Amino acid sequence: MATTDRKFTATEESTSKHPHDWGRAMSVAICRLTDMAREAGDPVHDEALIGEDLHLFVEDTHDGVSITMSWTPRERAALPPATPTSEDSPEHGASGERFDPTGGSTAGLGQ
């Protein structure tokens, strides 16, 4: 199933108003975009975002900022099926290590 005419949007919070602190919130929001596409029935891999236009919207909040990433997939040739993941197995990053969205921070997501 192609995801044309669909727009996926994910929002995460950062408790900092400084752009150099927003990486973790942006990363989690970006990963959620392909998760949403898969949930919608498109067998995309995270690498499907390479070469795609991603849109960023930053909104001021009381404690920091709200980071919204959106993606409207382009039409593509047939994609190979995404590798299935089990809820019981840990998610891994590009280096093969377990993905930790907090980056080891004890402050929580989006910090």
Side-chain angles (χ1 to χ4, degrees), residues 70-108:
S70 60
W71 171 48
T72 303
R74 293 180 293 164
E75 183 65 41
R76 346 178 145 256
L79 298 170
T83 305
T85 59
S86 168
E87 290 183 14
D88 296 329
S89 67
E91 293 184 26
H92 292 81
S95 66
E97 296 177 16
R98 184 183 168 113
F99 174 69
D100 179 3
T102 67
S105 170
T106 58

Side-chain angles (χ1 to χ4, degrees), residues 26-100:
M26 290 174 59
S27 172
V28 172
I30 290 169
C31 289
R32 289 183 52 215
L33 296 175
T34 52
D35 291 343
M36 288 180 212
R38 280 190 294 275
E39 290 170 8
D42 195 340
V44 298
H45 300 275
D46 290 336
E47 293 83 13
L49 295 175
I50 296 172
E52 292 286 307
D53 288 323
L54 302 179
H55 298 271
L56 169 70
F57 180 76
V58 180
E59 185 174 23
D60 190 33
T61 64
H62 179 64
D63 294 324
V65 296
S66 175
I67 304 283
T68 300
M69 299 296 299
S70 60
W71 171 48
T72 303
R74 293 180 293 164
E75 183 65 41
R76 346 178 145 256
L79 298 170
T83 305
T85 59
S86 168
E87 290 183 14
D88 296 329
S89 67
E91 293 184 26
H92 292 81
S95 66
E97 296 177 16
R98 184 183 168 113
F99 174 69
D100 179 3

